[in-house]
Amino acid sequence: MTPVPVPTIYKGQDARAALRLTGTALIEANARLSASAGWYEGVRKSYGGK
């Protein structure tokens, strides 16, 4: 559940490249959130059965 680093965007950078970096970071963040939710659901189920 580590945070996704914010992409470094600098002045004069091509806007398309900056958008691609930002989009990639958001995709990674969503994937990590989905994985975390799945892990937590497994933890809840394992405690619920005992």
Side-chain angles (χ1 to χ4, degrees):
M1 289 192 224
T2 58
V4 176
V6 177
T8 304
I9 300 173
Y10 54 88
K11 187 174 182 173
Q13 184 176 13
D14 184 355
R16 292 171 293 200
L19 182 60
R20 190 170 34 251
L21 289 172
T22 302
T24 302
L26 290 173
I27 290 168
E28 177 64 25
N30 284 336
R32 290 183 189 187
L33 286 171
S34 295
S36 296
W39 170 82
Y40 188 68
E41 185 62 28
V43 170
R44 287 181 51 199
K45 285 181 180 178
S46 70
Y47 279 105
K50 293 182 180 180

